[in-house]
Amino acid sequence: MVLIGVLLIMIGFVLRINSAVVVTISALVTGMIAGIPITSIITQFGEAFTTNRYMSILIVTLPVIGLLEKNGLQQQAAKIVSKIKAITVGRVLTMYLLIREAGAALGLNSLGGHPQTVRPLIAPMAEGAALSKYGKLPEKEQQEIRAHAAATDNIGLFFGEDIFVAVGAILLMNGFFEQNNIPADPISMALWGIPTAIFAFIVHAIRLRMFDKKLDKRLGSRGK
Amino acid sequence: MIFSVEMIYVLMGIIVLGCSLYIFTDRTNSRRLASGSFYLIYSVTLMFGKIIPPFYIGLMVIVMVLIIASGGLKKGEHVEESLAVKEERRKRLGGRLFLPAILIPILTLVGSKLLDGVKIGGKALLDPSNVTMVALGLACLTAIIVAMWMTRGTPTGAVKESRRLLESIGWAVLLPQLLATLGTIYTTAGVGTVVSDAVTAIIPEGSLFWIVVIFCLGMAIFTMIMGNAFAAFPIMAAGIAIPFLIKQFDANPNHIAAISMFAGYCGTLMTPMAANFNIVPAALLDLKDKNHVIKVQIPTALAVLVFNIILMYFLVSLGI
């Protein structure tokens, strides 16, 4: 019976209802099905919300990031990226993967992103590298290069960000363990993310190399 | 103690309060009253969470969610500065711009390791109940001061910039706290027990390997269904990680946490439910196939998922 709450979350997400609303309804319904009186559910709600305030610690980083962005942080990052002297699609994207993952590990999630960086900068650079190497691109390859550019951004962000202590995921897990009386340490959690982060980088870099080879094979014969 | 966790929450509350005041007076925002109230209530729950009785905090949270449900928050119009102006500013500081940002993780690490247990006049310098959080808060405060000094910014300027970022995060700022709250309610209601009973029924008695496999796959699959690894964690942790991995096999919770969230992210890379990451970019880049980005991501996601399973299995079975 109590799984109805989980089901509600799935339905809510499938119907694209606002997640904050879905989560709150699921919590209230699950509590009621379990036979907890409504006032006590609300009390528990407030208690848990207060205990978990530290999860929103990213708010303290906003003034820093905001001031730096106003003074050209993203432009500086773009400048570093555009200096990459890479002649292949794979190398452009591997460099971006490195910058994106390392940035996220330092808490600088805003350095990349699809609207801010991939569309205006990374995708055109990757396409440009292919263009100068192979000449005009067939649509199929052009689409593949763009999809790879977007995928690189996601992979760099996801496997980098959990190495930063103040990220929501780490704090969520730490809080969850604490409430269940299991001693945990957010710094150690972040550090133990490093092996997977390195592995993800290596695997994806190898795949980008293979992508280069594939492009060479398909388009190489066309010459300049 | 000299620096307590509550002080950090008050600092967070003050930042949000400042933002809400700017939003209330923003004539370009068509829902400035609703949006401003949302952040005002939020700042009160941050600053006075310890003082206000939990029942009222619970009601305030519900009011915030109602504001989101009834049309949501709106942003004001921000005048984007021209690229030339930004370029001018960038040139002044260049690579040094990264310095304050890098200070945050470095000072947190140093502060929480070196200042833990330090006493001044018989009082602990950092709140012993949560050293990391206080160190992080102080690191950010230092970084704010350094950033203001370097950029010749003012506190009001800093709040203005925070507000721009807070508005672009929008209601999502509440989500981690809400999901953690959901986890608590699930635990009281016994959702974890239901999941762990199901696991007991499927898995051969005491097979660590299969428990690790089910746990990591479960994180990835739940994430794919819900589009969000945060929502998967409380269910899988209460159902599998705590009763089996931690209580039965004595696994280190820090290892489990680090690896399980990454297993969840492998799911995020493979689902159209995570629209912001997988579907929106396809539209931004004019891709014909809306699932093209996902297709490119699947091989990497599967390889990393297998790596996570193997890593977790070895860490737990070797008792590291």
Side-chain angles (χ1 to χ4, degrees), chain A residues 49-58 166-168 170-179 186, chain B residues 5 9 12 46 130 133 136 177 180:
Chain A
F49 195 80
T50 298
T51 321
N52 289 301
R53 276 176 297 171
Y54 62 85
M55 218 159 271
S56 305
I57 190 101
L58 103 144
V167 78
I170 295 284
L171 301 173
L172 170 81
M173 297 188 287
N174 186 49
F176 186 82
F177 281 141
E178 248 170 35
Q179 277 168 27
Chain B
V5 180
Y9 296 142
M12 282 158 65
L46 288 173
N130 206 334
M133 222 38 59
L136 180 63
Q177 255 177 293

Side-chain angles (χ1 to χ4, degrees), chain A residues 72-83:
Chain A
L73 184 72
Q74 283 147 327
Q75 284 71 29
Q76 181 65 25
K79 200 171 155 60
I80 293 174
V81 172
S82 66
K83 266 192 193 156

Side-chain angles (χ1 to χ4, degrees), chain A residues 2-3 5-6 9-10 13-14 16 18-21 23-24 26-27 30-31 34 36 39 41-50 52-73 75-77 79-80 106 108 111 114-115 118-119 123 139 143-144 146-148 150-151 154-155 157-159 161-162 164-166 168-169 171-173 176-177 179-180 182-189 192-193 195-197 199-200 203-204 207, chain B residues 6 8-9 11-12 15-16 42 45-46 49-50 54-55 57-59 61 65 68-69 81 86 89-90 94-95 97-98 100-102 105 109 112 132-133 136 140 143-144 148 151 158 161-162 164-166 171 173-182 184-189 191 194 222 225-226 230 233-235 237-238 242 246 253-255 257-258 261-262 265-266 268-269 272-273 277-278 281 284-288 292-293 296-297 299-300 303-304 307-308 311 315:
Chain A
V2 287
L3 287 182
V6 181
I9 293 216
M10 291 176 189
F13 281 121
V14 170
R16 306 239 134 266
N18 182 296
S19 332
V21 178
V23 166
T24 310
S26 168
T30 307
I36 309 170
T39 48
I41 300 175
I42 296 176
T43 305
Q44 272 194 35
F45 220 84
E47 224 161 349
F49 195 80
T50 298
N52 289 301
R53 276 176 297 171
Y54 62 85
M55 218 159 271
S56 305
I57 190 101
L58 103 144
I59 291 171
V60 203
T61 66
L62 294 183
V64 183
I65 309 290
L67 280 174
L68 297 180
E69 281 187 5
K70 189 180 165 69
N71 286 278
L73 184 72
Q75 284 71 29
Q76 181 65 25
K79 200 171 155 60
I80 293 174
L106 293 172
L108 294 170
L111 280 193
H114 300 284
V118 176
R119 173 163 174 127
E139 193 187 22
Q143 295 264 314
E144 259 171 55
R146 288 182 183 179
H148 263 285
N154 284 336
I155 289 165
L157 172 68
F158 289 2
F159 297 112
E161 70 169 2
D162 273 11
F164 186 60
V165 197
L171 301 173
L172 170 81
M173 297 188 287
F176 186 82
F177 281 141
Q179 277 168 27
N180 287 282
I182 291 169
D185 168 29
I187 290 190
S188 170
M189 277 182 199
W192 276 98
T196 307
F199 180 81
V203 167
H204 202 65
R207 284 194 58 218
Chain B
E6 284 303 316
I8 308 297
Y9 296 142
L11 177 64
M12 282 158 65
I15 296 171
V16 177
Y42 187 37
T45 66
L46 288 173
K50 259 273 141 59
F55 178 75
I57 297 281
L59 287 181
V61 176
V65 173
I68 298 172
E81 283 161 314
K86 280 191 173 171
R89 291 221 194 91
R90 183 197 68 75
L97 271 170
F98 290 102
I102 293 170
L109 198 65
S112 62
T132 316
M133 222 38 59
L136 180 63
C140 288
I144 295 173
M148 282 198 300
T151 63
E161 291 306 312
S162 309
R164 176 177 60 80
L165 294 171
L166 199 59
W171 58 267
V173 75
L174 225 51
L175 203 55
Q177 255 177 293
L178 279 180
L179 282 166
T181 306
L182 179 72
T184 316
I185 305 263
Y186 274 3
T187 314
T188 344
V191 174
V194 177
F222 259 95
I225 296 170
M226 303 200 274
F230 282 29
F233 182 77
I235 301 170
I242 294 180
I246 294 172
N254 299 321
H255 301 168
M261 193 53 79
F262 278 149
Y265 288 174
C266 293
T268 317
L269 290 172
M273 299 297 294
F277 296 109
N278 297 334
L284 273 175
L285 296 169
D286 300 318
L287 298 182
K288 301 266 176 308
H292 203 155
V293 178
V296 170
Q297 285 168 172
T300 305
V304 176
F307 177 82
N308 281 329
L311 179 66
L315 286 177

